[in-house]
Amino acid sequence: MKTKKLLIELIRGLKHFESTTNMVYTTKTLSLIYFLFFFFGMEFYSSAQITEQAINDSELIYEFQLKLEEMYKNDKSGLASFELLNQQLSSRKSLQWKPDEVLLKQDLDGPALYKQAAKASLVFGKLATRKDKPGKFYLFLASSFAVGSDGICITNYHVIHEIPSSENTYTFVAAAVMNYKGEVYPVTEVLASSKKNDLAIFKVGGIDKGLDIFPLRRKVLVGEDIATISHPFNHLRVMLYNYTSGIVNRLSTSEKKELRMNISAEYAPGSSGGAIFDNRGNLVGVISTLFLMQDSKKQTLMLVKEAIPVQALWELFQTEE
């Protein structure tokens, strides 16, 4: 028992070191962890499921990368190359598909709303390599969610978009999503996208029982109560399945017909592509970006949280009505 506890603490220490330096885990660290468990003949330690009590971020991320690396090395997983995803991102502009419009009608309190919405919320993971460190893999995280039980999901355009350059430190090779149970599904294709509205619809494979989904409202109104679930991070830590709430502050458009909404709910880098939903669990928008509003002296006046209203998402669907 003492040996098991010692190994568990060592593993957590190794993963904490990785997460506080690069926010990613390397193959070398993962190999060492596997060796320790194999050498001592122990059952693999895992508590990587979201519970109502607490979330173990490092365990979830660790297992996510293990599974994504395995998919990347297995040609039968259906995992698309990141290069192919970017080709589809630039060429596919709409999708012949009708989302579920059977809306949820029961008002929920915070705990019930979080429990329901977490089921349809997904962690979006991008697997990368570095030329100067061959043989190592790195995991970069963002947010996403499901709208079709057969694997149709949403994130931001900028989450998938990559500009190839010889100056890039990392090269993305593949992507997958992880749900609240720690189950990982390969991203197999991009179905449609809008650069101006920062949206991407993509498909995941390997689904057995169907994904939990967000029903789509047709529109959102200023002043509505809303909530979000996303996965913000900084250079020190990741906060998976983070729940915040607020209101819709405004709706706007531009000469380029970009549809935007501002919300008061908090989020940060890593939240890109996260779902914004009403107090019943219906989708009303998608987190996109944030920026500082400053005066002429560079003094911060407010943090503006800009998102994409659900109306813009409907523009990507070609429905037969």
Side-chain angles (χ1 to χ4, degrees):
M1 182 61 68
K2 289 183 179 180
T3 303
K4 181 175 182 179
K5 288 182 178 180
L6 179 62
L7 286 175
I8 289 170
E9 291 304 314
L10 176 59
I11 289 167
R12 286 176 174 167
L14 287 169
K15 290 185 288 180
H16 177 71
F17 174 77
E18 293 282 358
S19 65
T20 55
T21 52
N22 293 319
M23 299 304 297
V24 291
Y25 300 124
T26 64
T27 304
K28 185 176 181 180
T29 301
L30 300 177
S31 298
L32 176 58
I33 292 170
Y34 269 137
F35 170 76
L36 291 171
F37 276 105
F38 177 78
F39 182 79
F40 286 95
M42 295 172 60
E43 181 180 354
F44 183 73
Y45 174 78
S46 173
S47 61
Q49 283 197 16
I50 294 174
T51 68
E52 295 181 15
Q53 289 74 39
I55 296 173
N56 190 324
D57 297 311
S58 60
E59 289 293 337
L60 280 165
I61 297 169
Y62 160 66
E63 294 192 13
F64 189 7
Q65 180 161 347
L66 280 182
K67 293 173 183 177
L68 180 47
E69 282 189 32
E70 184 179 353
M71 287 179 180
Y72 180 67
K73 297 171 184 176
N74 179 7
D75 293 336
K76 297 180 181 180
S77 69
L79 195 70
S81 70
F82 212 77
E83 181 180 6
L84 177 59
L85 294 179
N86 270 267
Q87 292 172 0
Q88 296 168 342
L89 189 72
S90 61
S91 62
R92 298 181 176 182
K93 303 303 179 184
S94 63
L95 175 64
Q96 187 73 42
W97 185 70
K98 183 175 176 58
D100 185 0
E101 288 191 89
V102 180
L103 299 179
L104 302 170
K105 297 182 179 181
Q106 181 179 352
D107 291 337
L108 301 173
D109 61 17
L113 184 58
Y114 175 77
K115 186 175 181 180
Q116 175 176 289
K119 295 178 181 180
S121 300
L122 303 167
V123 185
F124 191 97
K126 298 186 290 186
L127 193 66
T129 59
R130 288 181 58 157
K131 292 181 180 179
D132 60 337
K133 295 184 178 180
K136 291 185 178 181
F137 291 96
Y138 302 84
L139 184 65
F140 292 79
L141 303 178
S143 304
S144 59
F145 56 92
V147 294
S149 60
D150 59 345
I152 295 180
C153 304
I154 309 294
T155 191
N156 290 139
Y157 183 99
H158 77 258
V159 168
I160 299 177
H161 184 236
E162 180 186 26
I163 301 176
S165 171
S166 59
E167 298 180 357
N168 289 348
T169 302
Y170 297 94
T171 300
F172 295 112
V173 296
V177 300
M178 178 180 66
N179 68 7
Y180 73 108
K181 296 178 180 179
E183 297 168 341
V184 177
Y185 303 103
V187 175
T188 59
E189 63 177 319
V190 172
L191 301 172
S193 70
S194 171
K195 183 177 182 179
K196 73 173 184 177
N197 284 327
D198 197 21
L199 291 170
I201 306 171
F202 64 95
K203 185 76 179 290
V204 299
I207 300 167
D208 294 325
K209 298 181 180 179
L211 298 179
D212 291 290
I213 67 167
F214 283 105
L216 272 64
R217 288 251 305 266
R218 280 284 181 171
K219 63 181 181 179
V220 61
L221 302 174
V222 174
E224 281 195 67
D225 291 328
I226 52 88
T228 75
I229 290 179
S230 64
H231 319 293
F233 65 80
N234 64 8
H235 65 290
L236 294 176
R237 64 173 301 177
V238 179
M239 297 171 60
L240 298 180
Y241 285 87
N242 188 60
Y243 175 91
T244 63
S245 60
I247 64 169
V248 178
N249 298 120
R250 70 190 297 261
L251 293 168
S252 64
T253 187
S254 67
E255 294 180 356
K256 297 180 180 180
K257 299 188 183 302
E258 299 168 328
L259 293 174
R260 296 293 185 269
M261 63 189 284
N262 298 116
I263 64 174
S264 63
E266 298 289 344
Y267 58 84
S271 297
S272 294
I276 304 171
F277 43 91
D278 63 20
N279 58 7
R280 298 176 179 179
N282 301 303
L283 188 81
V284 297
V286 185
I287 294 172
S288 178
T289 188
L290 45 80
F291 60 89
L292 292 175
M293 182 175 285
Q294 298 176 317
D295 62 17
S296 59
K297 296 180 181 180
K298 302 294 184 180
Q299 298 294 316
T300 298
L301 302 176
M302 65 184 295
L303 179 63
V304 179
K305 284 152 285 186
E306 194 167 76
I308 313 301
V310 70
Q311 294 94 307
L313 186 55
W314 276 99
E315 291 182 1
L316 291 176
F317 299 122
Q318 294 183 359
T319 59
E320 297 178 358
E321 295 182 348

